[in-house]
Amino acid sequence: MVFVTFEGIDGSGKTSLMKALAARFSAQGQEVILTREPGGSSLGARIREMVLDAKTEGLDARAELFLFLADRAQHVATLIKPALDRGSLVFSDRFADSTFAYQGNGRGLELETLETLNTVAAGGLAPDVTFLLDLPVSVAMARIAARKGEGEARFDGLSVSFHEEVRRGFLTLASRFSHRIRVLNAEKSLEDLSDEAETLLVSVIRGTYAGRP
Ligand code: TYD
């Protein structure tokens, strides 16, 4: 039915927004599938371990890319597509925009190549709407520091300038795909963010969102 993705730098609060929004739609009787990348399938859970574990040292940027894409291919085929076909709302914590921002802007891989490979991996599937939670890297890093001890350290150990590049990448995507990507100020309260996202999503579901592709 409607495929929604939540994107942003680490510590942007996208997971909290996704859960809060899902609770609102489920309360109205709508089936909502919550999932994430990497890790949205059983193969994906194993890929997630490999790619996020700080013990995975010296991972080549292209090898990393193909792990994320393998995760996506399996995720789309086994979970996202079947759920959309059943008429569910599907919320994914990260999807292709993360690949463009992290592997493109962050790791320096060529964006056009990433777009081609992603289309193959995703079987042509693109989100109907994407919420981009935007905030300064310093604020996001302070949030991450406050919740340390979650174990998946490989990306958390990257420099401020890496995260600045990723943030810039997301914002560039948002201006390129302004019909799909809605930028939210991640420093707002969860309540305000949920209100904003809910209003937009209700109009997308009704098919009235003017910018819908
Ligand atoms: P996630 O668990 O969502 O991290 P967080 O909860 O901190 O947002 O994602 C793990 C990391 O994987 C995150 O730093 C971004 C990275 N990532 C990529 O580099 N490329 C991708 O295609 C995806 C899906 C994630």
Side-chain angles (χ1 to χ4, degrees), residues 7-8 44 51 64 66 76 109 125 130 163 176 186 197 206:
E7 300 278 8
V51 83
E64 179 186 81
F66 281 102
V76 169
L109 298 179
L125 180 72
T130 297
H163 292 290
R176 246 181 91 196
R206 288 191 188 136

Side-chain angles (χ1 to χ4, degrees), residues 2-212:
V2 175
F3 180 35
V4 186
T5 60
F6 296 77
E7 300 278 8
I9 56 172
D10 304 70
S12 57
K14 59 193 165 39
T15 313
S16 306
L17 174 62
M18 182 175 95
K19 288 182 179 161
L21 203 56
R24 292 186 181 200
F25 281 89
S26 309
Q28 295 160 24
Q30 171 69 51
E31 190 195 358
V32 189
I33 301 293
L34 290 184
T35 186
R36 67 173 176 181
E37 288 197 357
S41 62
S42 51
L43 172 71
R46 290 156 71 192
I47 294 176
R48 182 180 178 92
E49 260 180 54
M50 283 194 269
V51 83
L52 299 187
D53 193 334
K55 290 201 291 288
T56 305
E57 283 173 10
L59 184 59
D60 175 76
R62 279 155 303 184
E64 179 186 81
L65 166 69
F66 281 102
L67 288 172
F68 284 120
L69 294 180
D71 170 72
R72 182 158 310 133
Q74 187 73 8
H75 189 205
V76 169
T78 63
L79 189 132
I80 301 176
K81 273 223 161 139
L84 291 171
D85 290 346
R86 277 202 315 274
S88 289
L89 255 179
V90 178
F91 287 2
S92 185
D93 190 341
R94 298 193 183 283
F95 193 68
D97 296 311
S98 281
T99 307
F100 305 142
Y102 282 82
Q103 278 62 57
N105 299 73
R107 302 286 194 212
L109 298 179
E110 200 211 10
L111 206 58
E112 245 176 75
T113 310
L114 296 181
E115 287 176 354
T116 306
L117 294 173
N118 176 67
T119 303
V120 177
L125 180 72
D128 294 294
V129 60
T130 297
F131 293 112
L132 171 59
L133 284 129
D134 182 61
L135 81 178
V137 171
S138 56
V139 178
M141 289 205 144
R143 289 184 184 177
I144 292 169
R147 66 170 199 220
K148 263 280 174 273
E150 288 177 1
E152 292 166 340
R154 219 172 63 79
F155 277 83
D156 293 353
L158 292 163
S159 65
V160 173
S161 62
F162 179 91
H163 292 290
E164 296 284 7
E165 279 305 313
V166 172
R167 181 188 185 199
R168 216 169 49 81
F170 275 129
L171 290 172
T172 306
L173 288 166
S175 47
R176 246 181 91 196
F177 302 109
S178 53
H179 57 283
R180 170 175 64 84
I181 303 180
R182 182 56 166 267
V183 183
L184 301 176
N185 175 357
E187 289 188 276
K188 287 190 183 168
S189 71
L190 183 57
E191 187 74 15
D192 286 353
L193 288 167
S194 306
D195 288 347
E196 246 180 88
E198 184 182 2
T199 304
L200 181 79
L201 198 47
V202 165
S203 61
V204 170
I205 291 169
R206 288 191 188 136
T208 57
Y209 176 45
R212 198 177 177 195

